[in-house]
Structure formats: structure tokens, C-alpha cells
Amino acid sequence: MLTNLAARDVETLIHPYTHLDKFREAGPLVIERGEGVHVFDTGGKPYLEGMAGLWCTSLGYSNRELVEAAREQMEKLPFQHIFSGRSHDPAIALAEALKEIAPVPISKVTFCSSGSEANDTQVKLAWYMNNALGRPRKKKIIARVKGYHGVTVASASLTGLPANHALFDLPIQNILHTSCPHHYRYAEAGETEEAFSARLAAELEEMILREDPDTVAAFIAEPVMGAGGALVPPKGYFEAIGAVLAKYDVRLIADEVICGFGRLGTMFGSERLGMTPNTISVAKAITSAYMPLGAVMIDEPMYQAMLAGSREVGTFGHGFTYSGHPTTCAVALKTLEIYARDKIVEGVAAKEPHFLRRLAMLEDHPLVGEARGLGLIAGIELVADGATKRQYDPKAMVAAKAVGFCQEEGLILRNLMGDRLAICPPLIISEAEIDELFDKLGRALDRTLEWTRTLPA
Ligand SMILES: Cc1ncc(COP(=O)(O)O)c(C=O)c1O
């Protein structure tokens, strides 16, 4: 029986990433408030938010300083655009702050409101740059199967997941996908992580040569893949890929929308995983998700090409009403200040061993095939047979069932394709709360195992 609020929801809202038909029966989980790493539903039941919302609320749910930063800025100057040379202090200061902490030399920053918009901007800028440089054929962008880069027309095309393409007439032209670097699933028998990385780099090189290097502009990758399964790349992966890109003058776009701002125990995921990007997309934890903000950080060669392009066509024809919105920028500045002052990134590195120890213990569970993480992000693959890695029939929706049991236990996690569970808690989680998370998950997995015994053989 749906509550009044739930019934109103079903009649009014389209929920992203939800089975629209089954949802009409199940109804929503309506969350009312948050405190630290917990959220509470309308009945007052607490849940440990093991996904930091959508990989984003790094500072948890009740940070007064962020609320104050928004309030102060809204009272002073609630809106000011930065079109046609207008500007304001928060946008300037935030661009400076981002340049300062960037993992590679950055020349300029362009703002938007989401990760999808950031990656859409990346595609447009790669095209604009190569047109301005007189290389109109160099337009293809290589993404990866299971990569996640968003849902706008170009960013959904970069995304390598079937549900983002089917019935949407995507991907658009000039977007290619190379293999997913998931060693557990795709390595050959006995293949080391390094050998798997070398094979994937060789495959990328073949793709670039087959397409013609003069037509390939960029390669885009998340340091740790998020929505594709919370997949940590194999050892040596980005070093091997980076060498291929350098050989053929293909630029590297780091999608740091999840890994940026400390998720892997370094300010950017690129630093932890040996990526040397030319441009970087960020969003989510830039404001701890308290305000919608995305950004693209641009290197000097791209900026120079943009200058040349603008000299040719006049106005630079890109940007959003909310590019550099003063309130979002003020909240981002406060977020970055808190990261530095409270040593949030160092805190992730300090908590990582405990998080990974608790994660590794799950590998003894009969349902768990792989449990792998880095920093404070992890992916768990549920399998019918650990020895052969045999999966359950996707129709059984085992991971979705496990997430349902987690919810009953008071833990919010997310199930992803291929019966994977993702864990990505707020960065402020304590060691005791990490224990709470894994204790609840352990109980939910036991209940899931019990339930699988009722499945048809
Ligand atoms: C790595 C990555 N890139 C891009 C996006 C898209 O961001 P948004 O949902 O803000 O458009 C996401 C969202 O989860 C993401 O995880």
C-alpha cells in the first residue's frame, strides 16, 4: 500500500535509472532528511548512505558551513552570469583554486552544472580545437565499454552502457568504444594484470591505426569506472594506454566526476592511477553535491586553439546560463576550503586500509566473486559459482535483491549491471561507520544467499 506521498510520486515523477513499469508497483523510497553519513526516510528510519547519494555527497548530509556559504552568497549576489565578459569574484576565485590543485598544468576553466554537461563540453571543445588547428578530420573520440560519462546526446554517446543507447538513437557518429579493463571478467586464463593492460593497449593502438590516427582526437576515461561496475583498472593500465595516445597525438580526457576531490585518497584519481590528462571533467564532490556544478579544466594548447578559433568566427559560442553561477561557486569554494582544512583527502588515504580489509573479508562469502576497491570506492560482483565465475540469470536480478535486503538492514547501496554492487560512502565516514556498513552488508548478503536457494535451478 503506497503512502500518500508515494502515490503522488507515482502519478507525477519520471525517475532516472528506474524500471518505469515495475516502479508503478514498488513505489519510491522517500527520504526526508540527512545527518552525517545517514539519511532518514519519512517514517524516521535511518539508512547509512553507502553511495554518498550518487557518488557525490563527500561531506555528508548536514554540513552547516556549506549551507552558510550558499546563504551568504545568495544574500549578496544570488545570480550573475559570465557571458559577454561579465564576471564575479566567486567564479574567478574558484577557477583559480581549481588551477592550483589540478594534477597537471591547467590554463583555463569553463563551468557548467553537471558531469554530463562537462563531458558534452569536452566533445565540443575537442572538435572546435581541431577545426581551429586546421585538422577537420581529427574528430573521433574513443571511450570504453562500460564507461559512464553522462546522458546528454554527446556524453551518453561516450557512455558505454546499452541502456543509454537503446531506443535513443545513440551513439552519434565519431564516438567509438574500446574494451573494458575489468581483469576479473575479461582477462584470459592465467593472464596477469600487467599482461591484460598491455593487451588492451595493443587493442587500442590497432583501433587508432584502423581508424587512421589523423581522425582520432581524444580518448576519455574515468580513473576508476563508476556506474559501469565500480571497476578498478588493472596494474599498469593507464601507463600503457598513455604511451599509445602520446604516439598518435591523441589527447586524454580524464573524467574525474567521481574520482576528483579525494575519492581515491589523492586529490584527483589521475594522480593515483598514472594518468596525465590534457583536459579534466569534474562535478559532484566539487560542491559535495550541495549545489549542481560541473567544470572542464583546459590545458594551454587547447586554450590557444580556442583563441585562434574565436579570432576566426568571433564570439565563442558555448556556455550556459548557469556557467559559473555565483552561489554554486561559493559553495564549491567552501567545499575546497574544508577539504584542505580538515585534510579530507589525507583522511581517505588513512581510512583506505580499514575499508579494503573489511571489503576483502567479503571474498569468503559464497555469493561474492570479486570484491575490489581503491580509496573509498569498491565494486562487488555476485556470482552463482565462485570457482567458475558463473553468473546468475540476469532475470533473477540478484544484485537488485541484495540492495533490497541492504535497504531493510538500513544501508543504501546501488546495484549495477552484471550483478555488481557499488560502495562509495561519504568521504567523512568514520572507521566505526565503515564497520556498520560492512556489518549490514554482510547480513544482507546472507539473506540474499538464502533467497537464491529459492531460485529455479
Ligand atoms: C564518471 C561520471 N561522469 C559523468 C557523469 C554524469 O554526471 P551528471 O549525472 O552530473 O550529469 C557521472 C554521473 O554519475 C559520472 O559518474
Side-chain angles (χ1 to χ4, degrees):
M1 180 59 183
L2 298 179
T3 62
N4 185 28
L5 208 52
R8 282 163 50 205
D9 176 303
V10 171
E11 292 314 321
T12 49
L13 280 177
I14 293 292
H15 288 272
Y17 291 96
T18 302
H19 189 299
L20 295 183
D21 191 37
K22 288 187 180 149
F23 172 74
R24 294 192 62 81
E25 277 292 308
L29 169 65
V30 185
I31 300 294
E32 197 169 60
R33 66 184 186 90
E35 181 76 40
V37 300
H38 292 88
V39 292
F40 298 78
D41 68 18
T42 41
K45 177 177 168 177
Y47 302 83
L48 197 158
E49 233 303 357
M51 280 302 294
L54 285 173
W55 335 78
C56 53
T57 44
S58 46
L59 296 176
Y61 288 83
S62 47
N63 192 299
R64 291 300 312 166
E65 286 181 281
L66 298 184
V67 177
E68 269 309 298
R71 193 191 58 76
E72 269 174 33
Q73 184 58 45
M74 289 185 88
E75 282 181 354
K76 191 167 158 196
L77 181 70
F79 177 74
Q80 172 57 53
H81 66 79
I82 58 170
F83 280 32
S84 317
R86 297 272 186 92
S87 199
H88 54 77
D89 189 334
I92 299 165
L94 181 59
E96 284 173 350
L98 289 172
K99 283 180 64 169
E100 205 157 292
I101 60 173
V104 290
I106 289 299
S107 174
K108 302 290 176 290
V109 179
T110 173
F111 290 117
C112 53
S113 303
S114 70
S116 297
E117 287 176 357
N119 289 327
D120 239 66
T121 299
Q122 290 273 17
V123 171
K124 289 181 69 182
L125 291 183
W127 292 346
Y128 192 91
M129 176 181 188
N130 282 333
N131 284 330
L133 292 177
R135 314 192 294 195
R137 293 177 66 235
K138 205 166 172 67
K139 295 289 169 53
K140 292 173 190 163
I141 308 210
I142 302 178
R144 301 175 302 169
V145 171
K146 296 200 181 184
Y148 189 81
H149 303 292
V151 296
T152 51
V153 171
S155 69
S157 297
L158 296 171
T159 293
L161 295 169
N164 295 95
H165 296 165
L167 308 189
F168 287 118
D169 286 358
L170 296 176
I172 53 172
Q173 67 167 357
N174 282 334
I175 307 285
L176 307 165
H177 293 89
T178 188
S179 293
C180 170
H182 185 200
H183 184 266
Y184 174 78
R185 261 300 146 212
Y186 304 122
E188 286 163 3
E191 192 174 35
T192 63
E193 291 194 26
E194 289 84 351
F196 180 51
S197 293
R199 178 158 66 82
L200 293 184
E203 190 187 298
L204 175 67
E205 181 162 15
E206 275 164 35
M207 180 184 256
I208 293 171
L209 288 172
R210 193 170 57 244
E211 295 292 329
D212 177 355
D214 288 345
T215 70
V216 182
F219 176 85
I220 183 167
E222 306 151 81
V224 168
M225 277 183 167
L231 303 171
V232 178
K235 287 195 194 88
Y237 175 75
F238 280 113
E239 289 82 354
I241 294 287
V244 172
L245 301 179
K247 195 165 159 189
Y248 299 103
D249 187 22
V250 174
R251 290 164 60 87
L252 175 60
I253 302 169
D255 183 344
E256 294 267 8
V257 167
I258 288 178
C259 296
F261 311 105
R263 179 55 59 189
L264 305 186
T266 45
M267 185 53 86
F268 289 89
S270 295
E271 296 160 85
R272 180 86 194 256
L273 290 174
M275 295 170 81
T276 311
N278 300 98
T279 54
I280 301 171
S281 295
V282 291
K284 295 189 189 278
I286 190 172
T287 58
S288 185
Y290 280 42
M291 283 284 168
L293 175 63
V296 175
M297 301 196 239
I298 294 167
D299 65 355
E300 184 63 22
M302 177 171 268
Y303 176 60
Q304 287 302 326
M306 290 164 70
L307 276 182
S310 188
R311 276 186 214 111
E312 186 187 323
V313 296
T315 192
F316 174 64
H318 180 79
F320 305 92
T321 300
Y322 302 128
S323 293
H325 188 289
T327 308
T328 61
C329 289
V331 172
L333 278 165
K334 183 56 77 178
T335 306
L336 298 187
E337 186 189 316
I338 295 170
Y339 289 158
R341 186 195 66 204
D342 296 353
K343 299 196 176 357
I344 296 293
V345 181
E346 294 85 338
V348 173
K351 286 177 280 198
E352 175 183 293
H354 184 64
F355 180 76
L356 295 184
R357 217 169 14 251
R358 288 298 312 252
L359 180 72
M361 284 162 64
L362 290 178
E363 289 209 315
D364 294 333
H365 196 281
L367 260 187
V368 174
E370 182 192 42
R372 185 163 182 183
L374 200 65
L376 286 180
I377 185 170
I380 297 171
E381 187 151 328
L382 305 183
V383 291
D385 181 344
T388 62
K389 303 184 185 176
R390 182 169 62 81
Q391 292 179 300
Y392 285 99
D393 180 347
K395 286 198 210 80
M397 308 219 316
V398 173
K401 193 74 186 173
V403 161
F405 285 129
C406 283
Q407 202 167 298
E408 285 178 23
E409 296 288 338
L411 170 64
I412 292 179
L413 292 187
R414 184 141 174 239
N415 61 295
L416 306 170
M417 256 182 50
D419 273 337
R420 290 185 68 86
L421 300 176
I423 309 178
C424 186
L427 303 182
I428 56 159
I429 193 169
S430 68
E431 294 209 348
E433 287 161 341
I434 290 173
D435 286 333
E436 178 190 336
L437 188 159
F438 282 102
D439 290 346
K440 287 178 168 168
L441 175 56
R443 287 197 293 277
L445 288 177
D446 289 345
R447 291 175 65 188
T448 311
L449 182 64
E450 212 37 55
W451 169 82
T452 58
R453 298 197 169 117
T454 67
L455 291 173

